[in-house]
Amino acid sequence: MKQIKLPHLIKGGIHTDQRGQISFVNDFKFDIIERFYIICNSDEYPLRGWQGHKIDNKFFYCVHGKVRVHFVKIDKWESPSKDLQVESILLTSGESNILHIPEGYANAIEFLESNSKLISFTTLPLNNVGDDSVRYPSDYWRINE
């Protein structure tokens, strides 16, 4: 998989016929994926974030409901500017797309409907996570509604 250094959507599709429905993202390749998580937030705390990654790439796929993924390009890991521009992408189970956020970004995940579920694919082996992941308070950057 060619590494792209800017966040982008990998478009998929949905096929429906009399038998049911199939969602797919045929252009997503698993060759660099090390592990995955399925995330479902509580209704009390719909925002998860901020978590930055110096070398890990993240791929997000909405399995159920609606989820908005917010992200910022980090300027200084120890004390990033609070004025960084937050960008956001809406992922829904009604559209079969995967959001790729490359290394160097922090992300926050906002669950917009009860029981929404998101799969997070990651490229970094678990034993290398310690030095890569940086957490910031959930209100560190203002999310544009």
Side-chain angles (χ1 to χ4, degrees):
M1 171 183 261
K2 180 183 174 191
Q3 290 294 346
I4 298 175
K5 300 295 184 183
L6 296 174
H8 68 282
L9 278 180
I10 303 168
K11 297 275 190 180
I14 298 173
H15 173 77
T16 304
D17 64 18
Q18 71 277 8
R19 299 168 293 171
Q21 178 175 296
I22 296 175
S23 299
F24 57 89
V25 185
N26 290 339
D27 291 332
F28 180 61
K29 307 300 180 216
F30 285 87
D31 54 343
I32 62 171
I33 300 303
E34 288 286 331
R35 54 197 160 79
F36 74 92
Y37 300 93
I38 297 175
I39 305 166
C40 183
N41 253 30
S42 71
D43 289 338
E44 294 174 54
Y45 301 99
L47 182 68
R48 297 177 69 93
W50 290 88
Q51 186 171 1
H53 298 281
K54 297 174 185 175
I55 57 176
D56 196 4
N57 282 245
K58 295 291 184 184
F59 297 85
F60 297 107
Y61 181 81
C62 183
V63 177
H64 186 267
K66 292 182 182 178
V67 179
R68 185 171 286 122
V69 181
H70 309 280
F71 49 92
V72 295
K73 175 74 170 148
I74 300 299
D75 56 353
K76 297 175 291 216
W77 287 102
E78 298 76 29
S79 60
S81 170
K82 290 192 174 214
D83 296 327
L84 296 176
Q85 180 178 346
V86 175
E87 297 183 64
S88 303
I89 297 284
L90 178 66
L91 298 174
T92 72
S93 56
E95 297 177 343
S96 189
N97 297 319
I98 293 177
L99 173 61
H100 174 207
I101 299 181
E103 71 274 3
Y105 284 79
N107 66 75
I109 303 165
E110 183 181 10
F111 289 78
L112 302 175
E113 293 180 352
S114 292
N115 299 316
S116 292
K117 289 185 181 177
L118 187 75
I119 297 179
S120 172
F121 299 97
T122 184
T123 62
L124 196 62
L126 193 56
N127 59 344
N128 296 357
V129 170
D131 294 333
D132 178 63
S133 183
V134 181
R135 294 187 185 270
Y136 304 101
S138 61
D139 62 351
Y140 198 87
W141 289 283
R142 183 183 160 161
I143 295 174
N144 301 324
E145 301 289 327

